[in-house]
Amino acid sequence: MSDMALPSFAAPTDGQLTAEMLAAFHDAGVLILRDFVPVEECRALTSRALELVDDFNPEEVHCVFSTTRQTQADDSYFIESGDKIRFFLEEDAFDESGNLRQSKEDSLNKMGHAMHDLDPVFDQFSRSPALKTVADGLGFAQPAIIQSMYIFKPARIGGEVVCHQDSTYLYTEPESCIGFWFALEDATVENGCMYFIPGGHKMNLKQRNYRISECELTTEVLDPEPWPEHLKLPVEASAGTLVIFDGRAPHMSGPNLSDKSRHAYTLHVIDQTCHWPAENWLQRSPDLPLRGFA
Ligand code: FE2
């Protein structure tokens, strides 16, 4: 794992992955495709996200978060968000008097988890013909977009994300999750870009997160061996870059202490031919069936 770089290619305009790209993805667990999305489309998605933020009242979530802190782990606001559009604040969003330190959009950690099915602008971005071709090239039998997240990583208060694997949260039997991460703004070491451990997807799934009740999640440790974090490499990515990564690929990101936000959009895709356990946190209403890229 130690001397491996993270593979990076100019994006194929039609989404057709070459044999070299696929081999690199299977080796590293990560594939960087530069200029996959035109910058104007990145800006259009950001504008739409900010319109949705306009309609959100942070006081409502503040209550939920305060309650969570006082009464142990009530995760219902999160658990119920799989088929909705909900807003999650940064831990440092409020000052001691309970007022937002920064603007609303600069106080948010993320928005999720079903914009791709509920909002027409997100739907169109998430189901571009090129992205469908990429998913087909990755070998999905029956791809389904299980979740979307808009990551704000705001200036000054953007929180650190510790090393993890996404299959911990989006677990199928057998495992099938692949992440698609789009840089909507330039991501640098300074503003909290992602880091990956190249080849780390060949390690075990180290944790599984699941529901133990309607309003409570737990994380079970399957393999206590610590991550070889000294092997991590940063993914500095200009706006429009797509990073594809295996559900087992260990990744993390630092805090954003800079004065530049680091907006990104992520989609997670699973194969519907695999089993989706009922104890997974994300469960959708039968009124909103899973869809692929069609
Ligand atoms: Fe992740």
Side-chain angles (χ1 to χ4, degrees), residues 39-241:
V39 171
E40 313 80 69
E41 286 180 35
C42 293
R43 291 209 187 101
L45 198 71
T46 296
S47 303
R48 181 61 189 145
L50 296 182
E51 281 174 17
L52 296 171
V53 170
D54 262 348
D55 295 335
F56 151 71
N57 174 11
E59 290 305 317
E60 289 165 26
V61 178
H62 190 201
C63 293
V64 172
F65 272 45
S66 313
T67 309
T68 303
R69 289 202 186 114
Q70 284 157 19
T71 63
Q72 301 175 358
D74 184 337
D75 300 312
S76 47
Y77 183 79
F78 177 84
I79 285 184
E80 293 163 5
S81 69
D83 52 8
K84 299 182 182 68
I85 300 179
R86 286 194 166 175
F87 299 86
F88 301 88
L89 290 159
E90 284 292 352
E91 226 172 284
D92 293 334
F94 292 97
D95 63 20
E96 300 73 25
S97 337
N99 301 310
L100 285 183
R101 294 174 200 274
Q102 307 193 143
S103 70
K104 213 161 43 164
E105 74 204 57
D106 283 335
S107 302
L108 286 163
N109 174 283
K110 68 182 168 190
M111 166 169 75
H113 288 89
M115 288 85 71
H116 62 295
D117 286 328
L118 296 173
D119 183 81
V121 177
F122 276 85
D123 180 1
Q124 201 179 13
F125 185 98
S126 308
R127 294 186 169 90
S128 70
L131 197 56
K132 181 189 187 313
T133 305
V134 168
D136 289 344
L138 290 169
F140 284 103
Q142 207 182 322
I145 306 179
I146 186 76
Q147 73 168 26
S148 49
M149 294 192 291
Y150 191 98
I151 315 280
F152 292 86
K153 199 77 156 181
R156 294 169 288 275
I157 60 166
E160 175 190 3
V161 177
V162 298
C163 193
H164 66 282
Q165 296 161 305
D166 289 351
S167 284
T168 288
Y169 306 95
L170 302 168
Y171 178 76
T172 62
E173 290 165 347
E175 286 166 50
S176 63
C177 174
I178 293 185
F180 296 80
W181 181 96
F182 302 87
L184 301 175
E185 297 180 313
D186 296 346
T188 62
V189 167
E190 212 184 14
N191 69 1
C193 70
M194 279 205 293
Y195 290 76
F196 284 90
I197 298 172
H201 66 305
K202 292 173 182 164
M203 291 187 276
N204 294 332
L205 185 67
K206 288 195 190 285
Q207 297 189 327
R208 235 195 106 186
N209 174 278
Y210 48 87
R211 301 171 177 237
I212 46 173
S213 76
E214 285 299 295
C215 60
E216 202 175 344
L217 296 169
T218 194
T219 302
E220 183 187 348
V221 175
L222 307 172
D223 173 359
E225 186 74 22
W227 296 111
E229 285 197 37
H230 60 288
L231 300 178
K232 72 181 180 188
L233 295 175
V235 178
E236 293 203 304
S238 56
T241 301

